[in-house]
Amino acid sequence: MPDLAILDKAVEALIQCHQAHGSLVVLTGAGVSKESGIPTFRDAQTGLWANYKAEDLATREGFLSNPAMVWNWYDFRRNTVWQAQPNLAHQALAQLETLFPAFTLITQNIDNLHQRAGSQTVLELHGNIFRYKCLDHNHPVSLDLLADAEASPPHCPVCNAWVRPDVVWFGEMLPPQVLDRAFSAAQQASVMLIVGTSGVVHPAASLPQLAKEAGATVIEINPEMSALTPFVVDHFLQGPAAAVLPALQSALTLRLGTMEASHA
Ligand code: NAD
């Protein structure tokens, strides 16, 4: 469990945000899915996949040189993620969304677990492993409608290019509209909560800095200090997300309930 005095300060910042009708912005990374058993990209490279480099599996060049192998790798990862369940951290974030009218959840994860936990609006900076698009024109593709859905990979029904997962590979731009919305949310945040990210992958890692410069209070949840902790974080809640987030959310709900009762 995190230090209770720090937890209290974090709750206080969230209360102030709530009272002032401010905006709560959350940025999550791979750590939020840790207790769901989702391995990191590298941890997933076991057995059959142990000898491949990330550049072979998650770049445009890798796909072009061996489309079947990359397609099969994403099939394997998709199956792992599909069998996982959202954990208490995902659920606590879905609950927090119901408390704040101005709420934005930004994630670097591609695992869809926030949505499965009930989060309504999720800005996915790095895409979603359950979506597909074509390699040449980004046409969205639904596998259910494809005649050659079993192929590795199938072809786009519009332009016949290969179908690929709609995730951001190394060296690719982030989806510009999603990124714009994330930057604008960060600039307007009263509180930014960062959960389970090492803070080294840009541009996601610049969002907390941006929020801080615009006057937000920054709260971080992570078992270990990240690259962001010494520079932008006001309240560092040390511990696993699936323990700390429910504690934060229930302390906040309790305080808000008490305040409402005393005003009744
Ligand atoms: P990262 O692997 O670089 O860092 C993970 C962070 O989570 C670390 O700071 C670590 O201390 C922290 N952490 C570990 N256990 C935790 C826990 N129980 N609770 C809270 N935090 C915990 O991940 P990143 O910063 O998200 O960046 C890596 C990239 O890998 C991203 O681009 C992301 O898209 C991708 N990725 C996504 C998934 C997914 O979809 N679940 C999984 C792996 C990697």
Side-chain angles (χ1 to χ4, degrees), residues 54-70 169:
E55 304 87 74
D56 299 331
L57 299 170
T59 61
R60 187 181 177 86
E61 295 71 32
F63 184 77
L64 286 171
S65 76
N66 197 339
M69 180 195 60
V70 174
W169 282 333

Side-chain angles (χ1 to χ4, degrees), residues 18-36:
H18 188 270
Q19 299 300 91
H21 306 289
S23 165
L24 173 59
V25 178
V26 183
L27 172 67
T28 65
V32 81
S33 295
K34 176 87 184 204
E35 273 99 3
S36 295

Side-chain angles (χ1 to χ4, degrees), residues 28-35 38-42 77 81 87 89-90 107-113 125-127 129 168 170 195-201 204 220-227 239-243:
T28 65
V32 81
S33 295
K34 176 87 184 204
E35 273 99 3
I38 309 282
T40 62
F41 191 88
R42 275 170 221 290
R77 287 223 79 193
V81 172
N87 65 53
H90 298 106
T107 189
Q108 298 166 85
N109 296 344
I110 58 171
D111 57 26
N112 210 40
L113 287 177
L125 292 176
H126 296 163
I129 199 167
V168 176
F170 294 110
V195 187
T197 178
S198 53
V200 293
V201 180
E220 180 177 37
I221 298 174
N222 199 312
E224 290 168 32
M225 283 172 64
S226 72

Side-chain angles (χ1 to χ4, degrees), residues 49 68-83 129-130 132 143 149-152 165:
W49 302 104
M69 180 195 60
V70 174
W71 184 261
N72 291 336
W73 157 251
Y74 277 95
D75 245 3
F76 163 75
R77 287 223 79 193
R78 199 176 296 110
N79 282 334
T80 313
V81 172
W82 181 244
Q83 284 162 25
I129 199 167
F130 296 100
Y132 304 88
L143 285 201
E150 296 301 317
S152 309

Side-chain angles (χ1 to χ4, degrees), residues 159-177:
C159 67
N160 208 37
W162 274 316
V163 174
R164 55 164 283 182
D166 188 359
V167 298
V168 176
W169 282 333
F170 294 110
E172 292 187 323
M173 305 275 287
L174 274 61
Q177 286 174 344

Side-chain angles (χ1 to χ4, degrees), residues 116-219:
R116 283 173 63 193
S119 286
Q120 297 295 314
T121 312
V122 185
L123 298 182
E124 295 173 313
L125 292 176
H126 296 163
N128 186 312
I129 199 167
F130 296 100
R131 280 199 314 261
Y132 304 88
K133 63 181 183 179
C134 81
L135 185 69
D136 290 350
H137 302 101
N138 295 328
H139 293 132
V141 175
S142 164
L143 285 201
D144 299 341
L145 306 175
L146 294 186
D148 66 343
E150 296 301 317
S152 309
H155 292 84
C156 174
V158 180
C159 67
N160 208 37
W162 274 316
V163 174
R164 55 164 283 182
D166 188 359
V167 298
V168 176
W169 282 333
F170 294 110
E172 292 187 323
M173 305 275 287
L174 274 61
Q177 286 174 344
V178 179
L179 192 59
D180 279 356
R181 287 175 65 193
F183 273 117
S184 130
Q187 273 162 333
Q188 287 161 35
S190 307
V191 173
M192 177 165 251
L193 175 59
I194 47 184
V195 187
T197 178
S198 53
V200 293
V201 180
H202 285 270
S206 6
L207 293 166
Q209 176 78 42
L210 199 65
K212 178 83 178 168
E213 281 165 10
T217 301
V218 180
I219 303 169

